[in-house]
Amino acid sequence: MSTPVLTRPDGQARTYDAYAQPWWKRTLLTREMAIIALVVAVYAWSMGNVANFDSPLTLYYLFLDVAPLLLIALPMTLIIITGEIDLSVASVVGLSSVLVGVLVQDGGLSVPVAALIAIAVGAVCGAFNGFLVAYVGLPSLAVTIGTLALYRGIAVGILGTTAKTDFPEKWTDLSKERIIEGQPYPMILIPFLVLLLGFVLLLHFSPFGRGVYDIGLNDEAAQFAGVDVARTKLWLFLLAGAVSALAGVYFTLRFGSARGDNANGMELQVIAAVLLGGVSIFGGRGALHGVVAGVLLIGVISSAMRLEGQTVNVINIVIGVLLVLSVISTNLLGWVSGQVRSRTRGSRPSTSRAQSGTSSTTEG
Amino acid sequence: MAGPAPATTPVLELQDVRKSFGSVAALRSGSLAVQAGSIHALIGENGAGKSTLVKIVAGVHRRDSGTFRFQGEDVDFGSTASSKAAGIAVIYQEPTLFPDLSVTENIFMGRQPLGAGRRIDRARMHEEALSLFERLGVQIDPRRPARGLSIADQQVIEIAKAISLDASLLIMDEPTAALSGVEVERLFTIARSLRDEGRGLVFISHRFDEVFALCDTVTVMRDGEYVGTNAIAETTNDELVALMVGREVAELFPKTPAPLGDVVLDVQGLSSAGTFHDVTFQVRAGEIVGLAGLVGAGRSEIARAVFGVDKYDAGTVTMNGKPVPANRPRAAIGSGIAFVAEDRRKQGLVVEESVARNVASVIRRRLTKGGLLTSGAENKAAGPWASKLEVKTNALDMAASTMSGGNQQKVVIAKWLATNPKLLIIDEPTRGIDIGTKSEVHRLLSELAGQGMAILMISSELPEVLGMADRVLVVCEGQITAELDRAEATPEKVMHAATRGASTTEEIKA
């Protein structure tokens, strides 16, 4: 059938500006940019004020430390944008770590084969979450609290309290190798950057990604527009499982230790970083550059405070306060703009009420 | 046909009550006088303003102007609580009980009798509930949870609540819509006994047979205005229909005749338990088929099933001779179906997203280059469609939430026309939009049909259906009860088929 061409009475077509604001306003005045600026500011301040922060080792270890967070934050961002959450990621890290240990040491498999199997198992774990959420229709919070315990339980069940520590040096060294000798960038950044590119294309430059935002903002309208809501969610949870398992492989090799309780509690760090990076916990809002900045902010602050001799507890307090502030700031901004809007709108109802008052007195 | 001057002070008296939402006047001039000890029917088409009137009485909305007297005194309820406290009870079509609380607890929610030490006196509560049910002559165990009770029983509980509050005015908004014959009879018995106790009752219904069987007075509304009040004994079914419709419709929305092509949509024996049954119809290229009927008749549900958003139990949907798989909107879109859904803000748009993303949301898979989708491509595709529909916006990245209802509707239509559909299903095409945009939408639908598109239009506005449709299918309680050609479709025929009033009222009057 031919494209229906509509005729306008005046025969002229109106054109629209693509954007209401100039590009720099759209890019710079965002929450993501605020977080990036904060990272740069904290980094610059620490360079000048924290002893040894300017040592090349600082940045190197910072990257090694935050690598698992960086990796898992990628799929977590997409999941949270759809309005769901995955609390089982750290347990998948632990399970994957145990699997690599057992398969390499007891099974005699090579590290790459063991890693692939672990990642496949991670994908299955994620798909199980996704199935329960998307097709059975259970709330993801409840499902992944359950599988958080389930996957961690399996991991600890396999190895008990023991650890597998005998890994080929070739692989443990590779996990800590630098991309270019003398530079503070470890090898793990390469798979991270590849995945980052993939997730950026998926979220920001693909129909699938648009669907992810639609689901988070209005899943009913998304369904009416032909977005396969259930399948999208299934894929996201599957990806989260696979990437978490990859992080588990890295975690194991970096510390040369496969334990069931590896990365205990990391899920909350990941979610904190994602939220800090400007992703709305209610879904529909957020971008990956903000999330990367959010992870790095946590990394820089931890690293600077550790050099200052602060304990983990103090670091956690600071990051916790920062997270609460960031959440409050969004709500505060929303409240302020809501106030402004209701004030401009408020004039009409009040006059109509006044009218009704006068008319009822005259008639009554 | 103004009724005779009332001898006594009416329990409820509304005069020239007006209420607007934004630029849309839902109620222009509502008037109603309900006597104590009577059952007063309030009837009118969908959108006549009945619900708005009830909501003003219930304290949900505040009127903009007009007189509102309750038991002879001027009142102005700012909340449902103050309306309740004054003695007004509203029973809705679907009661809202707390499902996990017991029947007794539901009746006394928020005002439980207190015993020693300010503890809830359960025994007294239970006894009072029992005596309430005894008065109403119903058998419901007060201790059972509300979950699982039939709609009818839930309504009885709402009525019990109203009686325990000693409400002097009960408004029942289409209470019988979901009830079976026996349940309706029980409700009527209760209603009559309440009337005999001297309470005033307002009964809103689309079923004329019930109006004639139960009520003693009737008030008709149309287009947000009071039309007339009459004693039931002095009126007839046909007179009421004429009053409800009473307007010239032909010149309002002329559809230009277009040559009809092949069958595009073929629906055979579509059934979904409890919603619609054995629905069969066809839509041809260039044809506008109107689905008329009352709200809740199952029209939207039929459309949703055809489009694949909802499941159906039996039947087939065929587009251009090819079967459309069930329950897969994407497959339906692929087969050439577009669906402008009923609820614009919930189903039609992602209101927080930009105009461009909304317009491009269904076609974005076609806009990719090498699998990648850019905002530039979306803007480029969306711009011309926004322009064709004359969407009023500053820029394509403005959020749809900032726009008026009419403009939002244009965005939804643009989004679907961009898919180049063969069949456009449009549910309530002009609900809640201003009069100017309304005629634009009608002109557009006519033009699209002229270009050979098949259009299935659901509308609760009779003039819209009669003016636009080549053929009208009337749906009543999930079934197609009439198929009328443009020439033979009159408001009266449609209303008769939609209420099934024609046959039943004759019997009752006989």
Side-chain angles (χ1 to χ4, degrees), chain A residues 50-304:
Chain A
V50 178
N52 296 324
F53 192 83
D54 55 354
S55 140
L57 273 183
T58 307
L59 202 54
Y60 168 68
Y61 274 108
L62 191 156
F63 281 128
L64 283 183
D65 287 346
V66 298
L69 292 183
L70 280 172
L71 288 169
I72 303 171
L74 298 174
M76 185 68 85
T77 301
L78 275 66
I79 287 179
I80 294 181
I81 289 176
T82 64
E84 303 289 349
I85 202 157
D86 187 351
L87 294 174
S88 73
V89 285
S91 299
V92 175
V93 171
L95 182 59
S96 146
S97 173
V98 166
L99 282 176
V100 170
V102 171
L103 290 172
V104 170
Q105 237 166 292
D106 301 344
L109 296 178
S110 69
V111 170
V113 173
L116 281 177
I117 293 173
I119 290 169
V121 170
V124 171
C125 290
F128 181 62
N129 287 334
F131 172 75
L132 292 179
V133 172
Y135 290 95
V136 183
L138 301 173
S140 55
L141 188 69
V143 165
T144 57
I145 283 177
T147 53
L148 174 147
L150 174 69
Y151 300 152
R152 182 67 75 186
I154 295 173
V156 175
I158 292 175
L159 269 190
T161 50
T162 62
K164 301 280 180 190
T165 49
D166 193 14
F167 292 98
E169 230 165 73
K170 184 175 88 176
W171 290 101
T172 51
D173 285 352
L174 180 71
S175 72
K176 293 187 279 276
E177 192 117 358
R178 293 156 196 262
I179 301 172
I180 303 162
E181 205 46 53
Q183 293 288 316
Y185 307 110
M187 276 295 182
I188 185 65
L189 286 182
I190 291 178
F192 165 70
L193 288 173
V194 170
L195 280 176
L196 176 65
L197 179 69
F199 274 97
V200 165
L201 293 180
L202 188 66
L203 181 61
H204 297 300
F205 296 96
S206 85
F208 181 90
R210 297 286 194 273
V212 168
Y213 283 100
D214 285 353
I215 292 169
L217 290 171
N218 182 347
D219 57 350
E220 196 177 355
Q223 193 204 0
F224 272 79
V227 174
D228 197 328
V229 176
R231 204 172 62 179
T232 303
K233 286 185 181 173
L234 177 71
W235 272 106
L236 293 184
F237 278 96
L238 186 149
L239 281 172
V243 173
S244 302
L246 174 69
V249 174
Y250 163 76
F251 204 96
T252 312
L253 295 177
R254 186 201 161 188
F255 294 105
S257 163
R259 294 175 55 91
D261 60 358
N262 269 351
N264 211 350
M266 191 191 272
E267 67 279 343
L268 295 184
Q269 281 175 284
V270 173
I271 292 164
V274 170
L275 298 187
L276 201 53
V279 175
S280 164
I281 189 73
F282 303 111
R285 301 245 171 269
L288 280 168
H289 59 293
V291 170
V292 172
V295 179
L296 291 179
L297 183 61
I298 288 181
V300 171
I301 289 174
S302 313
S303 157

Side-chain angles (χ1 to χ4, degrees), chain A residues 205-207, chain B residues 363-374 377:
Chain A
F205 296 96
S206 85
Chain B
I363 53 165
R364 54 193 168 209
R365 271 163 208 282
R366 294 182 211 164
L367 302 177
T368 56
K369 274 201 184 113
L372 296 186
L373 176 67
T374 59

Side-chain angles (χ1 to χ4, degrees), chain A residues 4-8 13-14 16-20 205 207 210 214 217-218 220-221 224 226-227 285 356 359, chain B residues 64 307 330 345-347 349-350 357 364 368 372-373 378 386-387 390-391 393 395-397 416 420 447 451:
Chain A
V5 180
L6 305 169
T7 51
R8 287 165 43 102
R14 183 181 164 177
Y16 298 89
D17 292 336
Y19 303 101
F205 296 96
R210 297 286 194 273
D214 285 353
L217 290 171
N218 182 347
E220 196 177 355
F224 272 79
V227 174
R285 301 245 171 269
S356 81
S359 57
Chain B
D64 296 339
F307 184 69
R330 191 111 130 243
R345 302 179 63 82
K346 273 194 191 148
Q347 300 158 345
L349 289 167
V350 179
R357 292 218 169 147
R364 54 193 168 209
T368 56
L372 296 186
L373 176 67
E378 286 174 310
S387 160
E390 296 174 63
V391 174
T393 177
L396 291 173
D397 70 338
W416 286 109
N420 192 8
E447 204 174 311
Q451 286 160 0

